[in-house]
Amino acid sequence: MPATSMRQLLEAGVHFGHQTRRWNPKMRPYIYGERNGIYIIDLEQTTRALEKACNYMRKAASEKKNIVFVGTKKQAAEIIEQEAKKCGAFFVNQRWLGGMLTNFETIRLRINRLKDLDEMKNTGDFYRRPKKELTVLNREMFKLERSLGGIKGMRGRPDVLFIVDQKHELIAVSEAKKMDVSVVGIVDTNCDPDNIDFVIPGNDDSIRSIKLIVSSIADAVLEGKQGQTHSIPGLEKITAIDESEIPVLEEEAIIEEEVVSEDKVVVPSNGSLKDEIVPELVIAADTVAIQYEDAYLDSED
């Protein structure tokens, strides 16, 4: 699979955390420092954590465990569906129904109902119903497909959850804790990492950041299902990025400040950088980050 290097994490904006006033003190070990009111995540720890998480997901896939990708926030929903389908995993990307783990038998009944409606549609019996009944069945099928369509082929309970944003998927994480289900997740600076078994510290609001990490996890799952056991290339050795290799923007193209989301701001690139606050890697990122037009969306928190 392609290497997920520190440079790629840097260019995707994985190192941008939330504002300092919106943080969880339990994330302190994963934070390198503060820059213009936002926390900077330590990408060395992110790289190692991603490698560890990918190795675990690869092993779980090779053991044919039920892996479920969970991401219901608007930034992650489409990415979760695409990557889960790519690697043949299950997914929940619209709404986590309470009891999906703790009351799975009831959820199974609704899944069976969805399968029955699918069979009725495939055999043509669906369209032989009266118009009013057909409208009711269409509405029921739409609701079930929206909530359970990503797991309707799953046999048995989920064994591993991969989540995007612990704070947004709090119910899923709580149920996984009760049912002793392993959880791998992207955790930002405003999240609680306690109930996450494999923490991947990183930006969970950026589409490019989510896409990069979820794609790496999906590739690891695909490799596990194909019987490949080698580790991710490019992650064994972490090296610093030479600033001279990063292109510098022309003065007229420099943006003074760009609002990323409600509480995330790309730091100004006006040359007044403080080396004592941010490592060389992040200083280089301050200059290059504005080259990449990232479709950040506001967090629903």
Side-chain angles (χ1 to χ4, degrees):
M1 65 180 278
T4 305
S5 64
M6 187 180 292
R7 180 181 295 276
Q8 290 175 297
L9 296 175
L10 178 70
E11 293 174 350
V14 178
H15 59 293
F16 288 115
H18 283 260
Q19 285 187 353
T20 54
R21 62 184 175 84
R22 296 184 59 190
W23 78 303
N24 192 314
K26 294 180 182 179
M27 287 298 293
R28 187 188 298 275
Y30 305 103
I31 297 174
Y32 182 88
E34 176 265 341
R35 176 69 176 167
N36 284 20
I38 64 171
Y39 279 122
I40 301 298
I41 297 171
D42 189 349
L43 285 185
E44 287 192 6
Q45 294 196 53
T46 302
T47 308
R48 296 191 185 97
L50 181 58
E51 178 186 14
K52 185 177 180 181
C54 286
N55 288 335
Y56 175 77
M57 296 295 277
R58 188 179 295 108
K59 180 180 178 183
S62 66
E63 295 173 354
K64 298 182 179 180
K65 291 185 178 181
N66 289 329
I67 299 174
V68 181
F69 285 44
V70 183
T72 59
K73 62 193 301 182
K74 55 187 177 182
Q75 296 97 315
E78 184 177 352
I79 297 172
I80 286 291
E81 181 176 358
Q82 291 175 352
E83 297 298 329
K85 288 181 178 179
K86 181 182 76 173
C87 67
F90 306 104
F91 65 92
V92 176
N93 70 331
Q94 295 299 326
R95 181 190 172 196
W96 179 272
L97 301 178
M100 274 191 172
L101 293 178
T102 55
N103 192 20
F104 187 72
E105 294 305 318
T106 300
I107 298 297
R108 192 198 302 274
L109 295 178
R110 305 311 300 157
I111 293 176
N112 290 338
R113 173 60 176 168
L114 176 58
K115 290 180 178 179
D116 290 341
L117 291 175
D118 281 338
E119 185 177 356
M120 289 170 57
K121 190 172 184 179
N122 293 333
T123 57
D125 183 50
F126 199 80
Y127 302 102
R128 289 194 288 268
R129 304 300 176 99
K131 186 175 181 180
K132 185 174 182 180
E133 184 180 355
L134 182 61
T135 301
V136 174
L137 291 177
N138 269 322
R139 186 182 299 114
E140 180 184 6
M141 185 175 181
F142 174 78
K143 291 175 66 177
L144 289 175
E145 183 68 34
R146 189 170 184 268
S147 300
L148 304 173
I151 61 172
K152 63 182 178 181
M154 183 171 61
R155 296 183 179 180
R157 298 175 183 270
D159 299 306
V160 181
L161 294 186
F162 171 72
I163 67 160
V164 176
D165 193 346
Q166 174 271 343
K167 193 172 182 180
H168 196 83
E169 310 299 343
L170 186 60
I171 297 177
V173 175
S174 300
E175 291 190 19
K177 181 71 173 179
K178 292 178 182 178
M179 301 304 295
D180 197 26
V181 173
S182 299
V183 180
V184 180
I186 306 174
V187 183
D188 211 328
T189 56
N190 67 332
C191 299
D192 183 356
D194 280 354
N195 293 331
I196 308 297
D197 298 298
F198 295 89
V199 176
I200 305 174
N203 185 349
D204 60 15
D205 293 313
S206 162
I207 292 179
R208 296 188 72 240
S209 173
I210 295 172
K211 175 71 175 178
L212 178 62
I213 296 177
V214 176
S215 179
S216 298
I217 295 293
D219 288 340
V221 172
L222 191 59
E223 287 181 2
K225 290 187 175 183
Q226 293 174 348
Q228 301 177 13
T229 58
H230 61 275
S231 60
I232 305 176
L235 289 181
E236 293 80 2
K237 184 178 180 180
I238 300 173
T239 58
I241 297 176
D242 185 2
E243 292 184 45
S244 62
E245 297 179 6
I246 301 177
V248 180
L249 297 181
E250 297 295 335
E251 292 184 2
E252 58 270 16
I254 293 178
I255 302 174
E256 288 298 323
E257 188 173 75
E258 174 185 348
V259 177
V260 173
S261 68
E262 179 184 350
D263 62 339
K264 291 191 176 182
V265 179
V266 176
V267 297
S269 298
N270 53 14
S272 58
L273 302 176
K274 298 181 180 179
D275 295 351
E276 66 276 13
I277 296 179
V278 186
E280 292 183 1
L281 179 62
V282 178
I283 292 175
D286 288 338
T287 305
V288 75
I290 58 177
Q291 292 184 46
Y292 302 91
E293 296 180 2
D294 200 351
Y296 283 78
L297 297 177
D298 291 340
S299 175
E300 294 180 357
D301 300 337

PDB file of all heavy atoms in Angstrom, residues 9-17 38-43 46 202-203 209 281-282 285-286 289:
ATOM      1  N   LEU A   9       0.721  13.653   6.307  1.00  0.00           N
ATOM      2  CA  LEU A   9      -0.064  14.084   7.456  1.00  0.00           C
ATOM      3  C   LEU A   9       0.004  15.602   7.607  1.00  0.00           C
ATOM      4  O   LEU A   9      -0.996  16.263   7.904  1.00  0.00           O
ATOM      5  CB  LEU A   9       0.444  13.412   8.740  1.00  0.00           C
ATOM      6  CG  LEU A   9       0.319  11.885   8.812  1.00  0.00           C
ATOM      7  CD1 LEU A   9       0.980  11.367  10.078  1.00  0.00           C
ATOM      8  CD2 LEU A   9      -1.140  11.450   8.771  1.00  0.00           C
ATOM      9  N   LEU A  10       1.180  16.131   7.397  1.00  0.00           N
ATOM     10  CA  LEU A  10       1.407  17.569   7.512  1.00  0.00           C
ATOM     11  C   LEU A  10       0.601  18.335   6.475  1.00  0.00           C
ATOM     12  O   LEU A  10      -0.088  19.316   6.785  1.00  0.00           O
ATOM     13  CB  LEU A  10       2.900  17.861   7.346  1.00  0.00           C
ATOM     14  CG  LEU A  10       3.349  19.317   7.385  1.00  0.00           C
ATOM     15  CD1 LEU A  10       3.209  19.866   8.785  1.00  0.00           C
ATOM     16  CD2 LEU A  10       4.789  19.433   6.904  1.00  0.00           C
ATOM     17  N   GLU A  11       0.659  17.882   5.225  1.00  0.00           N
ATOM     18  CA  GLU A  11      -0.032  18.576   4.143  1.00  0.00           C
ATOM     19  C   GLU A  11      -1.549  18.485   4.283  1.00  0.00           C
ATOM     20  O   GLU A  11      -2.273  19.368   3.824  1.00  0.00           O
ATOM     21  CB  GLU A  11       0.416  18.002   2.808  1.00  0.00           C
ATOM     22  CG  GLU A  11       1.884  18.281   2.485  1.00  0.00           C
ATOM     23  CD  GLU A  11       2.346  17.581   1.227  1.00  0.00           C
ATOM     24  OE1 GLU A  11       1.572  16.732   0.718  1.00  0.00           O
ATOM     25  OE2 GLU A  11       3.459  17.862   0.752  1.00  0.00           O
ATOM     26  N   ALA A  12      -2.030  17.423   4.925  1.00  0.00           N
ATOM     27  CA  ALA A  12      -3.472  17.258   5.116  1.00  0.00           C
ATOM     28  C   ALA A  12      -3.991  18.050   6.311  1.00  0.00           C
ATOM     29  O   ALA A  12      -5.198  18.075   6.554  1.00  0.00           O
ATOM     30  CB  ALA A  12      -3.812  15.777   5.286  1.00  0.00           C
ATOM     31  N   GLY A  13      -3.094  18.684   7.063  1.00  0.00           N
ATOM     32  CA  GLY A  13      -3.526  19.483   8.212  1.00  0.00           C
ATOM     33  C   GLY A  13      -3.899  18.654   9.420  1.00  0.00           C
ATOM     34  O   GLY A  13      -4.691  19.098  10.266  1.00  0.00           O
ATOM     35  N   VAL A  14      -3.331  17.453   9.539  1.00  0.00           N
ATOM     36  CA  VAL A  14      -3.654  16.577  10.668  1.00  0.00           C
ATOM     37  C   VAL A  14      -3.180  17.181  11.991  1.00  0.00           C
ATOM     38  O   VAL A  14      -3.709  16.874  13.053  1.00  0.00           O
ATOM     39  CB  VAL A  14      -3.018  15.180  10.456  1.00  0.00           C
ATOM     40  CG1 VAL A  14      -3.296  14.260  11.636  1.00  0.00           C
ATOM     41  CG2 VAL A  14      -3.557  14.555   9.177  1.00  0.00           C
ATOM     42  N   HIS A  15      -2.192  18.078  11.934  1.00  0.00           N
ATOM     43  CA  HIS A  15      -1.591  18.611  13.157  1.00  0.00           C
ATOM     44  C   HIS A  15      -2.390  19.740  13.787  1.00  0.00           C
ATOM     45  O   HIS A  15      -2.082  20.154  14.900  1.00  0.00           O
ATOM     46  CB  HIS A  15      -0.173  19.112  12.865  1.00  0.00           C
ATOM     47  CG  HIS A  15      -0.108  20.174  11.820  1.00  0.00           C
ATOM     48  ND1 HIS A  15      -0.421  19.933  10.493  1.00  0.00           N
ATOM     49  CD2 HIS A  15       0.222  21.486  11.891  1.00  0.00           C
ATOM     50  CE1 HIS A  15      -0.268  21.048   9.792  1.00  0.00           C
ATOM     51  NE2 HIS A  15       0.120  22.013  10.622  1.00  0.00           N
ATOM     52  N   PHE A  16      -3.418  20.242  13.139  1.00  0.00           N
ATOM     53  CA  PHE A  16      -4.201  21.337  13.709  1.00  0.00           C
ATOM     54  C   PHE A  16      -5.220  20.811  14.711  1.00  0.00           C
ATOM     55  O   PHE A  16      -6.091  20.009  14.374  1.00  0.00           O
ATOM     56  CB  PHE A  16      -4.924  22.118  12.608  1.00  0.00           C
ATOM     57  CG  PHE A  16      -4.011  22.960  11.768  1.00  0.00           C
ATOM     58  CD1 PHE A  16      -3.830  22.680  10.427  1.00  0.00           C
ATOM     59  CD2 PHE A  16      -3.313  24.015  12.330  1.00  0.00           C
ATOM     60  CE1 PHE A  16      -2.980  23.449   9.649  1.00  0.00           C
ATOM     61  CE2 PHE A  16      -2.460  24.790  11.554  1.00  0.00           C
ATOM     62  CZ  PHE A  16      -2.289  24.508  10.216  1.00  0.00           C
ATOM     63  N   GLY A  17      -5.130  21.291  15.962  1.00  0.00           N
ATOM     64  CA  GLY A  17      -6.096  20.930  16.990  1.00  0.00           C
ATOM     65  C   GLY A  17      -7.153  22.018  17.145  1.00  0.00           C
ATOM     66  O   GLY A  17      -7.298  22.893  16.305  1.00  0.00           O
ATOM     67  N   ILE A  38      -4.350  28.063  19.009  1.00  0.00           N
ATOM     68  CA  ILE A  38      -4.777  26.694  18.713  1.00  0.00           C
ATOM     69  C   ILE A  38      -3.661  25.734  19.107  1.00  0.00           C
ATOM     70  O   ILE A  38      -2.482  26.101  19.122  1.00  0.00           O
ATOM     71  CB  ILE A  38      -5.127  26.496  17.220  1.00  0.00           C
ATOM     72  CG1 ILE A  38      -3.900  26.704  16.340  1.00  0.00           C
ATOM     73  CG2 ILE A  38      -6.254  27.407  16.796  1.00  0.00           C
ATOM     74  CD1 ILE A  38      -4.129  26.310  14.898  1.00  0.00           C
ATOM     75  N   TYR A  39      -4.044  24.523  19.441  1.00  0.00           N
ATOM     76  CA  TYR A  39      -3.061  23.521  19.821  1.00  0.00           C
ATOM     77  C   TYR A  39      -2.508  22.825  18.579  1.00  0.00           C
ATOM     78  O   TYR A  39      -3.226  22.570  17.611  1.00  0.00           O
ATOM     79  CB  TYR A  39      -3.683  22.481  20.756  1.00  0.00           C
ATOM     80  CG  TYR A  39      -3.762  22.950  22.191  1.00  0.00           C
ATOM     81  CD1 TYR A  39      -4.974  23.015  22.866  1.00  0.00           C
ATOM     82  CD2 TYR A  39      -2.601  23.327  22.874  1.00  0.00           C
ATOM     83  CE1 TYR A  39      -5.042  23.438  24.182  1.00  0.00           C
ATOM     84  CE2 TYR A  39      -2.662  23.751  24.192  1.00  0.00           C
ATOM     85  CZ  TYR A  39      -3.885  23.816  24.834  1.00  0.00           C
ATOM     86  OH  TYR A  39      -3.936  24.247  26.144  1.00  0.00           O
ATOM     87  N   ILE A  40      -1.227  22.503  18.645  1.00  0.00           N
ATOM     88  CA  ILE A  40      -0.557  21.770  17.574  1.00  0.00           C
ATOM     89  C   ILE A  40      -0.315  20.340  18.050  1.00  0.00           C
ATOM     90  O   ILE A  40       0.294  20.124  19.098  1.00  0.00           O
ATOM     91  CB  ILE A  40       0.788  22.431  17.205  1.00  0.00           C
ATOM     92  CG1 ILE A  40       0.563  23.879  16.746  1.00  0.00           C
ATOM     93  CG2 ILE A  40       1.497  21.641  16.120  1.00  0.00           C
ATOM     94  CD1 ILE A  40      -0.280  24.025  15.515  1.00  0.00           C
ATOM     95  N   ILE A  41      -0.827  19.379  17.295  1.00  0.00           N
ATOM     96  CA  ILE A  41      -0.697  17.963  17.653  1.00  0.00           C
ATOM     97  C   ILE A  41       0.674  17.444  17.221  1.00  0.00           C
ATOM     98  O   ILE A  41       1.171  17.798  16.153  1.00  0.00           O
ATOM     99  CB  ILE A  41      -1.825  17.144  17.001  1.00  0.00           C
ATOM    100  CG1 ILE A  41      -3.187  17.610  17.542  1.00  0.00           C
ATOM    101  CG2 ILE A  41      -1.650  15.648  17.246  1.00  0.00           C
ATOM    102  CD1 ILE A  41      -4.366  17.021  16.817  1.00  0.00           C
ATOM    103  N   ASP A  42       1.277  16.616  18.053  1.00  0.00           N
ATOM    104  CA  ASP A  42       2.591  16.042  17.771  1.00  0.00           C
ATOM    105  C   ASP A  42       2.464  14.985  16.674  1.00  0.00           C
ATOM    106  O   ASP A  42       1.934  13.891  16.907  1.00  0.00           O
ATOM    107  CB  ASP A  42       3.154  15.423  19.052  1.00  0.00           C
ATOM    108  CG  ASP A  42       4.606  14.985  18.897  1.00  0.00           C
ATOM    109  OD1 ASP A  42       5.099  14.963  17.753  1.00  0.00           O
ATOM    110  OD2 ASP A  42       5.239  14.671  19.917  1.00  0.00           O
ATOM    111  N   LEU A  43       2.953  15.280  15.478  1.00  0.00           N
ATOM    112  CA  LEU A  43       2.801  14.365  14.352  1.00  0.00           C
ATOM    113  C   LEU A  43       3.657  13.110  14.484  1.00  0.00           C
ATOM    114  O   LEU A  43       3.361  12.094  13.857  1.00  0.00           O
ATOM    115  CB  LEU A  43       3.138  15.086  13.040  1.00  0.00           C
ATOM    116  CG  LEU A  43       2.087  16.068  12.519  1.00  0.00           C
ATOM    117  CD1 LEU A  43       2.494  16.609  11.163  1.00  0.00           C
ATOM    118  CD2 LEU A  43       0.716  15.418  12.438  1.00  0.00           C
ATOM    119  N   THR A  46       1.388  10.855  16.184  1.00  0.00           N
ATOM    120  CA  THR A  46       0.318  10.471  15.256  1.00  0.00           C
ATOM    121  C   THR A  46       0.794   9.395  14.286  1.00  0.00           C
ATOM    122  O   THR A  46       0.080   8.426  14.010  1.00  0.00           O
ATOM    123  CB  THR A  46      -0.160  11.703  14.463  1.00  0.00           C
ATOM    124  OG1 THR A  46      -0.611  12.711  15.377  1.00  0.00           O
ATOM    125  CG2 THR A  46      -1.301  11.328  13.530  1.00  0.00           C
ATOM    126  N   GLY A 202      -5.279  13.443  16.031  1.00  0.00           N
ATOM    127  CA  GLY A 202      -5.286  14.155  14.761  1.00  0.00           C
ATOM    128  C   GLY A 202      -6.521  15.014  14.591  1.00  0.00           C
ATOM    129  O   GLY A 202      -7.473  14.950  15.386  1.00  0.00           O
ATOM    130  N   ASN A 203      -6.505  15.794  13.548  1.00  0.00           N
ATOM    131  CA  ASN A 203      -7.599  16.702  13.214  1.00  0.00           C
ATOM    132  C   ASN A 203      -8.789  15.892  12.692  1.00  0.00           C
ATOM    133  O   ASN A 203      -8.700  15.239  11.654  1.00  0.00           O
ATOM    134  CB  ASN A 203      -7.110  17.686  12.145  1.00  0.00           C
ATOM    135  CG  ASN A 203      -8.121  18.754  11.811  1.00  0.00           C
ATOM    136  OD1 ASN A 203      -9.268  18.682  12.211  1.00  0.00           O
ATOM    137  ND2 ASN A 203      -7.692  19.747  11.058  1.00  0.00           N
ATOM    138  N   SER A 209      -7.863  15.552   6.187  1.00  0.00           N
ATOM    139  CA  SER A 209      -7.272  14.809   7.297  1.00  0.00           C
ATOM    140  C   SER A 209      -8.006  13.491   7.523  1.00  0.00           C
ATOM    141  O   SER A 209      -7.395  12.425   7.654  1.00  0.00           O
ATOM    142  CB  SER A 209      -7.305  15.662   8.567  1.00  0.00           C
ATOM    143  OG  SER A 209      -6.896  14.924   9.691  1.00  0.00           O
ATOM    144  N   LEU A 281       9.144  21.314  11.961  1.00  0.00           N
ATOM    145  CA  LEU A 281       8.180  20.672  11.075  1.00  0.00           C
ATOM    146  C   LEU A 281       6.928  21.519  10.935  1.00  0.00           C
ATOM    147  O   LEU A 281       6.418  21.731   9.843  1.00  0.00           O
ATOM    148  CB  LEU A 281       7.817  19.296  11.631  1.00  0.00           C
ATOM    149  CG  LEU A 281       6.791  18.493  10.841  1.00  0.00           C
ATOM    150  CD1 LEU A 281       7.339  18.219   9.444  1.00  0.00           C
ATOM    151  CD2 LEU A 281       6.479  17.203  11.552  1.00  0.00           C
ATOM    152  N   VAL A 282       6.432  22.047  12.047  1.00  0.00           N
ATOM    153  CA  VAL A 282       5.200  22.816  12.014  1.00  0.00           C
ATOM    154  C   VAL A 282       5.441  24.199  11.439  1.00  0.00           C
ATOM    155  O   VAL A 282       4.596  24.781  10.786  1.00  0.00           O
ATOM    156  CB  VAL A 282       4.598  22.908  13.428  1.00  0.00           C
ATOM    157  CG1 VAL A 282       3.335  23.745  13.413  1.00  0.00           C
ATOM    158  CG2 VAL A 282       4.281  21.517  13.947  1.00  0.00           C
ATOM    159  N   ALA A 285       5.133  23.889   7.983  1.00  0.00           N
ATOM    160  CA  ALA A 285       3.719  23.687   7.638  1.00  0.00           C
ATOM    161  C   ALA A 285       2.981  25.007   7.577  1.00  0.00           C
ATOM    162  O   ALA A 285       2.068  25.183   6.780  1.00  0.00           O
ATOM    163  CB  ALA A 285       3.059  22.778   8.657  1.00  0.00           C
ATOM    164  N   ASP A 286       3.367  25.968   8.449  1.00  0.00           N
ATOM    165  CA  ASP A 286       2.686  27.262   8.446  1.00  0.00           C
ATOM    166  C   ASP A 286       2.765  27.910   7.075  1.00  0.00           C
ATOM    167  O   ASP A 286       1.848  28.571   6.625  1.00  0.00           O
ATOM    168  CB  ASP A 286       3.331  28.193   9.483  1.00  0.00           C
ATOM    169  CG  ASP A 286       2.999  27.765  10.898  1.00  0.00           C
ATOM    170  OD1 ASP A 286       1.993  27.073  11.033  1.00  0.00           O
ATOM    171  OD2 ASP A 286       3.734  28.116  11.826  1.00  0.00           O
ATOM    172  N   ALA A 289       0.800  25.261   4.400  1.00  0.00           N
ATOM    173  CA  ALA A 289      -0.571  24.817   4.636  1.00  0.00           C
ATOM    174  C   ALA A 289      -1.573  25.545   3.769  1.00  0.00           C
ATOM    175  O   ALA A 289      -2.550  24.960   3.303  1.00  0.00           O
ATOM    176  CB  ALA A 289      -0.929  25.009   6.113  1.00  0.00           C
TER     177      ALA A 289
END
